[in-house]
DNA sequence: TTATCGTGGATAGATTTTATCTGCAATAGG
DNA sequence: CCTATTGCAGATAAAATCTATCCACGATAA
């Protein structure tokens, strides 16, 4: 069981974008630089977040990314599912049917108990992720993070964020 | 996020071995046949279970595998960790340090909040897995499974299990 | 018009997963 | 002792996935 590195990048980027003021945006290249990531590859993950309506993107110069809704309404589960996909980690192959004795399909109408137990555990995992909001991450960082790190992040955001024209159609 | 297919195979095999009487064993080839799996590959997973002291193996003709302890004392978590490894699914790459501004390491003594949140969710996952015992799986199967499937499984175990000499050193 | 930005597709290298085979050690039974 | 069966370790390789890069394209602010 393993999560791709994109999850870590996506959460960090989303947390950074939560610090961007108003409807300003931040270019993907700046986000990549902010965490020492490959820009081309990070865009793939940011794209996943955009497709999942977690981020909004603005093309053109002075464009970039911003949160699609308030950080209070974005959970870690939203981000993880957007990047890793919505399929459960445990996929039942129904190998119980593959024995030497072939039974009628009616013998397997009841769901596999092993699958049920695994999915139940995964539901607990997702519930825990759903409990943590992006705003919690940011708040914890602001409250407990090192002041130097905090100052550096704020300066970086300040330097790279770009104000947008008020746009009625995309306005929150 | 994905679990290997070996997990499903391992749990099914362990559940099957829970039905073996006394200290009898069942060969890996029989277990593979029981679920239509590749024998060579299944042995790899069974080996993981043996290394984790979940199964015991007996070499030689009339040898095979059996549970190393009672099914009541084996949880799904034991099996999942044995097969998939004990490392957490989310691995923090500390990308927060990789920005353009290099800070002293002392700025990062506090653990990354994102990592903490992800590991907390994973702890919930593991706790849920730890709550389910192998004996629960078997009991549910016996109580709710289709009688035909149940009968076929029992017959298969009956046919392939092999009694062992009483061995004081390995005795439970 | 130009330069900047996001999007999508093609591509390729690295890593992991899945699977097979072989030789080896252990051992029950003759 | 001999043989057949079984588990074990290692090499190997095919397949899938993850990571990473590049380029052509459309959008748009200045």
């Amino acid at each position: 069981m393993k999560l791709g590195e994109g999850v870590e990048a996506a959460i960090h980027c989303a947390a950074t974008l939560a610090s961007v003021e108003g409807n300003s945006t931040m270019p993907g290249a700046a986000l990549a630089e902010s965490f020492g990531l490959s820009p081309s590859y990070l865009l793939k993950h940011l794209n996943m977040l955009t497709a999942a309506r977690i981020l909004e993107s603005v093309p053109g110069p002075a464009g970039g990314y911003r949160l699609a809704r308030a950080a209070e309404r974005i959970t870690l589960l939203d981000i993880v599912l957007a990047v890793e996909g919505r399929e459960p980690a445990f996929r039942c192959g129904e190998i119980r049917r593959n024995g030497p004795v072939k039974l009628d399909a009616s013998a397997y109408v009841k769901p596999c108990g092993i699958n049920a137990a695994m999915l139940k555990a995964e539901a607990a995992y997702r519930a825990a992720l759903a409990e943590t909001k992006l705003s919690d991450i940011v708040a914890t960082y602001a409250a407990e993070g090192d002041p130097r790190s905090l100052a550096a992040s704020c300066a970086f955001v300040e330097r790279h964020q770009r104000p947008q024209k008020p746009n009625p159609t995309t306005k929150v």
Side-chain angles (χ1 to χ4, degrees), chain A:
Chain A
M1 176 157 154
K2 234 176 44 182
L3 262 60
E5 298 176 7
V7 175
E8 183 183 9
I11 300 175
H12 269 103
C13 287
T16 299
L17 290 174
S19 305
V20 170
E21 300 158 7
N23 67 347
S24 297
T25 64
M26 197 166 164
L31 288 167
E33 185 194 359
S34 172
F35 299 109
L37 300 170
S38 144
S40 339
Y41 190 42
L42 178 63
L43 289 189
K44 293 270 188 285
H45 298 308
L46 294 180
N47 215 324
M48 295 290 216
L49 296 178
T50 305
R53 309 274 186 174
I54 294 169
L55 301 186
E56 278 176 355
S57 64
V58 177
Y65 295 93
R66 67 182 163 220
L67 296 186
R69 55 182 185 267
E72 287 77 19
R73 296 202 293 124
I74 297 174
T75 71
L76 290 191
L77 181 63
D78 295 330
I79 299 176
V80 169
L81 290 186
V83 176
E84 290 281 315
R86 309 190 72 88
E87 307 219 327
F90 183 84
R91 295 143 301 161
C92 181
E94 287 285 338
I95 62 173
R96 59 177 179 169
R97 308 191 186 195
N98 299 350
V101 181
K102 298 301 174 191
L103 297 178
D104 190 79
S106 64
Y108 301 111
V109 290
K110 293 249 186 177
C112 176
I114 292 173
N115 191 25
M118 295 300 293
L119 292 184
K120 184 182 159 195
E122 202 160 338
Y125 176 68
R126 295 190 175 193
L129 284 182
E131 277 174 14
T132 306
K133 294 174 287 189
L134 188 57
S135 52
D136 297 333
I137 296 288
V138 176
T140 304
Y141 184 54
E144 299 181 7
D146 188 275
R148 287 165 288 178
S149 169
L150 191 59
S153 291
C154 287
F156 191 89
V157 170
E158 193 66 31
R159 183 147 35 94
H160 288 95
Q161 71 179 354
R162 304 178 172 188
Q164 300 295 313
K165 290 180 180 174
N167 184 341
T169 64
T170 322
K171 193 62 179 299
V172 184

